Amino acid sequence: MNLKELSSLKLSESNLGSSTGSNWFGSGSKIDSYSPTDDKLIGSVLSTTREEYEKVIQEAERAKAIWRDIPAPKRGEIVRQLGNKLRAEKETLGKLVSYEMGKSYQEGLGEVQEMIDICDFAVGLSRQLYGLTMHSERPGHRMYEQYHPLGIVGIITAFNFPVAVWSWNAALALVCGDVIVWKPSEKTPLCAIACQNIIAEILKENNLPEGISSLVIGDAEVGKWIAEDERIPLVSATGSTRMGKQVAATVAARLGRSLLELGGNNAIIVTPSADLKMTVIGAVFGAVGTAGQRCTSTRRLIIHESIYDKVKESLVEAYKQIKIGDPLDSKNHMGPLIDKAAVQMYLDALKKIKEQGGNILLEGKVLEGEGYESGCYVTPVIAEVENHYDIVQQETFAPILYLIKYSGDVNNAIALQNDVKQGLSSAIMTTNLREAELFLSHNGSDCGIANVNIGTSGAEIGGAFGGEKETGGGRESGSDAWKVYMRRQTNTINYTTNLPLAQGIQFNL
């Protein structure tokens, strides 16, 4: 694949640096984007300098005054147009996601569909930014609360979902009246430029300021500029827990807000009554989908001792059927890891599993030969471990599935599941109503997402997405996640000729 095949996304060597007229800027150091699929150079991008960053923020400041005065349903119309553009470009953008990031083409298409879905959700939301009315204790007074735009929202995204996570934030922020400044992963800059080109075209067609949606490209230093910038009241950051702690501390130091979507160490509990076929499908997709590079990937399978051997044998047989190769080939289930650094992390994890006493059932290796020239293709791993192993307590962004045995009732399995620092996604496989309800109760899963008889990955945009503990506590996408992109205001109106004070306080002059 080359840039000519992506012509509708307006990517070419001539517009991957300097000002493009699509409100992203770059004249700094060069960033080469190589595909992990075949190690070929897709394109080179010039990063954003500090001076260009200042220009972006200044334009965003000017644009926010215009954008917030546009009625919310009219803002929703712009997001509706974005969704329609994404429908038209779904196949092309999906291919770019697959080729630049390495996930399967089907997953690339699914990621663009998430973008379309959140646009649809946000369009409806633009007519439902509801406040509340309440009764005042003072006669002749009315109280209510309403929501106002925050201003500029900084969005920092990771490589594994190079377009969808931006859209989760962008669609909601835009209908809420905010303008957006996006810092994507430097590992997937072309996906970001393609999205920026799409939304910039819509803004131009509607005679709206380019500064409503901006893009800054670079390494962690650019993300630091956003985190430190007092002109940006909200920073939404997706990535590792280590990165999130740095962003949170920096933003908190200036009393800004942060929305954090960080690491996951997700488990599926498999009880004696579980449907084995459903369990295997959910576990295998959760563990090898996106080559284990989802924050919701299934890392741990906590299996009751009475069915442990049966589940283990079924998983080993299922893994033997996994096809690994070019993610644009629909026959393949799994593509490459993002880069050589990720491969080394995978190899280091395998070494630690053995050192800490684990038993690797399916050995992992880096694939070589025809079709695997990039050096980023690895085989998925199944290992028998104990939950307390240091390596199990960490999130490894790779297709490594840990099998953990439990005995007794489901409370013991829930305790194992919760005994990690992360709290993103969780699931239980059971046909026992009591076990299912206990898992969903306050005594059950401590994660932000808890599923019954489905896997840990594949969240729909209608529900709020996010997790607890070292996952950061943020919520994006559906439900009432929109509220984080706005500031709440309580209003009291006195329509009498008297001025009674609250709590019955007397203050007579």
Side-chain angles (χ1 to χ4, degrees), residues 399-410:
I400 301 174
L401 178 63
Y402 299 121
L403 304 190
I404 300 165
K405 186 184 296 185
Y406 82 94
S407 58
D409 65 20
V410 74

Side-chain angles (χ1 to χ4, degrees), residues 74-138:
K74 298 295 184 182
R75 300 193 295 256
E77 165 59 20
I78 302 303
V79 174
R80 185 191 69 81
Q81 293 177 34
L82 173 60
N84 285 343
K85 290 275 189 185
L86 291 170
R87 285 181 171 87
E89 297 291 352
K90 180 177 177 178
E91 291 186 4
T92 307
L93 185 55
K95 285 181 181 178
L96 176 60
V97 168
S98 178
Y99 190 59
E100 188 173 34
M101 185 267 149
K103 64 176 60 176
S104 73
Y105 180 44
Q106 281 300 311
E107 291 185 76
L109 292 174
E111 183 166 348
V112 181
Q113 186 60 50
E114 279 193 57
M115 301 177 79
I116 295 166
D117 292 344
I118 194 63
C119 286
D120 287 350
F121 179 89
V123 172
L125 179 65
S126 68
R127 295 180 181 271
Q128 302 177 74
L129 301 174
Y130 298 135
L132 295 172
T133 60
M134 57 210 77
H135 292 281
S136 172
E137 66 184 58
R138 291 165 285 185

